[in-house]
Amino acid sequence: MIRLTVFGGAGEIGGNKILLEDAGTRLLLDFGISYTRRGLFFEEYLKPRTAAGLADLLVTGVLPEVSGIYRSDLLALGGPRTPAPHDRPAVDGLLLSHAHLDHAGHLGFLDERVPTYCSSLCHAMLVAMQGSRGRDFETEIVDFRPRPAFPDTRDVTIPRRFVRVDGAFQAGGLRCRALPVDHSMLGCVAFLIETSRGHVLYTGDLRFHGPDAALSEAMLADARAAGVWLLLTEGTRLDVVEERTETHVLDECLAAVRATRGPVIADFAPRDLYRLHTFLRIARETDRRLVILSQDAHLLNALLGMHPLVVDPRGEPFVILKERKQSGTYSERDYPRWERHVLAWPTARTAGDLRTARDRLILALSFWDIQNLVDLGVGEDALYIQSSSEAYTEEQALDARRLNNWLDMLGVRRRLQSHASGHAPRSDLARLVETVRPEVLVPIHTVVPRLWRDVAPTPVIIEPVAGRVIEL
């Protein structure tokens, strides 16, 4: 008998935490942050307490109450609903589909002895992302500092066990395959798992309309050839018919930039290197410089040689913005070691250096970096391009209003929304099911799972309930 428990991703977008059990093997499929659940209890100035271990996250339901999976140092801190300590992990591995935090963000709480299987690109992304972020309780994915931290242990870090897989591998007693797919992040894979009942296909997040669409098509062909008994698939855009591609974004934004005499502000997800490449191409075709932040340059440098879209940030037409921090004097002491390394490159410039050439710039700045526009002197001759999804939560709507307040204050009147999603629309999801022909479909990563009955009426559809065991 196969047992499936969806702890996160049931009736919500993201937060995937799934346990698959078969023939004595127990595998986790992703272990991400449920931003929906977390947002009910926490925000910027109300965070889980490090000193409370896992207690705050467990009592609020942000983490599931599961024995045998969490770090021993956090379990030792105790607290309500905290499972008892264990001698060995109760799971044989974690299959990580990709590095987006709604799939990988809570990896850092797991027992470090649990092997995490992911693609080489995914691992490189995680290492670069953690290296350029401030280290705190919820960001230690690749390695962690044991708690509580005393003066003689503050610099001690414990590595997590990662197994880089780019094809077939064994996890516990189950044979698995990592099948690359197209999404809005490099290094994404679906997993084909050979169980005692038949193949289980876990898609992670995917699309068929991006620059690497051939990867998703190849995954479909491989899954069809193997035969799929159980399909665990995302349905983020089950209610969306329109299909926009990266080519649409390129054409729209290129035309808008060509019609702009002043600076361009391009607001897109910082780790979407497909979108970064689109604006890099626009910069080259319009004879502009593409201004990126130091963490973007750090990520590109870490991934050099791993994918054709990854280009050297030390060359044209990149400029790395040296932001004012700490003292405001650009002192070396204002920056961590990794950032000092990046800012030593000849392409690094301060806002003051760039003001005179601002009309020939494309500024890759998101909402969180908007204050840099004050130093750059951006005004009414600028064009703002929102190249990310529109707000769909209350908090995102508040951020959108704050963003508009900044743009209004700076006098930026020209605005364009141009985006192509990292998720497959309704038609491609229907084609996915028609192609692999599963006997059973368990919808995850969607707020409208009921729509699957209209899209794919053939297989048995089981809508998961968070934390409830499904026996198959």
Side-chain angles (χ1 to χ4, degrees), residues 159-418:
R160 185 162 301 286
R161 184 185 171 195
F162 281 92
V163 182
R164 293 179 286 279
V165 293
D166 296 292
F169 63 97
Q170 187 89 5
L174 299 181
R175 296 173 59 187
C176 309
R177 288 174 65 191
L179 304 174
V181 295
D182 184 31
H183 182 43
S184 54
M185 174 174 270
L186 301 184
C188 301
V189 297
F191 288 104
L192 192 63
I193 306 160
E194 189 175 335
T195 71
S196 58
R197 176 61 180 80
H199 284 100
V200 174
L201 177 64
Y202 173 58
T203 65
D205 290 352
L206 81 168
R207 63 183 176 186
F208 298 85
H209 57 269
D212 275 337
L215 296 178
S216 297
E217 297 294 348
M219 180 278 293
L220 272 189
D222 286 346
R224 171 72 180 271
V228 173
W229 161 63
L230 170 64
L231 175 63
L232 275 163
T233 187
E234 69 125 316
T236 309
R237 302 176 73 226
L238 262 176
D239 55 345
V240 176
V241 177
E242 179 187 8
E243 179 180 299
R244 285 175 52 80
T245 68
E246 200 65 28
T247 302
H248 288 116
V249 176
L250 173 64
D251 292 344
E252 287 177 350
C253 294
L254 179 58
V257 173
R258 280 177 171 157
T260 301
R261 294 185 178 180
V264 175
I265 305 131
D267 183 347
F268 56 91
R271 290 174 292 277
D272 186 349
L273 297 187
Y274 294 104
R275 190 60 43 82
L276 178 68
H277 192 267
T278 292
F279 279 100
L280 179 63
R281 180 173 171 182
I282 292 171
R284 286 173 171 154
E285 294 197 21
T286 59
D287 194 27
R288 289 176 177 256
R289 309 289 296 280
L290 182 62
V291 180
I292 60 175
L293 299 179
S294 52
Q295 53 263 43
D296 305 323
H298 175 75
L299 178 62
L300 286 170
N301 189 56
L303 300 178
L304 276 177
M306 299 188 73
H307 191 280
L309 286 183
V310 180
V311 292
D312 194 336
R314 289 166 288 193
E316 296 286 346
F318 283 114
V319 175
I320 302 165
L321 180 62
K322 187 174 185 178
E323 298 179 89
R324 285 202 291 184
K325 296 182 178 180
Q326 303 293 331
S327 70
T329 62
Y330 300 105
S331 166
E332 275 201 1
R333 291 176 296 178
D334 291 345
Y335 309 97
R337 183 180 301 174
W338 71 267
E339 195 166 13
R340 290 200 299 271
H341 172 71
V342 169
L343 296 178
W345 297 343
T347 45
R349 297 286 187 277
T350 68
D353 297 332
L354 296 174
R355 282 182 76 111
T356 56
R358 66 184 185 86
D359 292 349
R360 304 310 306 162
L361 302 177
I362 297 178
L363 307 162
L365 301 175
S366 71
F367 164 68
W368 309 105
D369 318 304
I370 199 74
Q371 289 155 298
N372 286 301
L373 299 181
V374 175
D375 297 337
L376 288 160
V378 170
E380 61 183 14
D381 57 346
L383 167 66
Y384 167 77
I385 301 175
Q386 182 187 0
S387 196
S388 56
S389 60
E390 296 177 338
Y392 61 87
T393 68
E394 184 178 349
E395 186 60 34
Q396 288 176 338
L398 286 172
D399 289 342
R401 287 199 288 272
R402 294 185 186 107
L403 170 65
N404 285 324
N405 290 339
W406 275 99
L407 296 175
D408 289 342
M409 180 271 295
L410 292 166
V412 179
R413 304 284 180 259
R414 295 187 60 216
R415 304 174 195 183
L416 170 68
Q417 210 280 338
S418 182

Side-chain angles (χ1 to χ4, degrees), residues 101-118:
L101 295 183
D102 62 333
H103 292 255
H106 276 165
L107 232 65
F109 297 129
L110 294 178
D111 189 314
E112 69 277 9
R113 294 171 293 177
V114 175
T116 297
Y117 300 90
C118 65

Side-chain angles (χ1 to χ4, degrees), residues 57-97:
L57 294 164
L58 289 166
V59 299
T60 56
V62 175
L63 286 180
E65 295 180 48
V66 182
S67 298
I69 68 170
Y70 294 117
R71 282 167 32 193
S72 59
D73 62 316
L74 298 178
L75 294 176
L77 291 172
R81 301 190 184 178
T82 299
H86 54 268
D87 294 327
R88 59 188 298 273
V91 292
D92 298 283
L94 182 144
L95 311 188
L96 179 62
S97 64

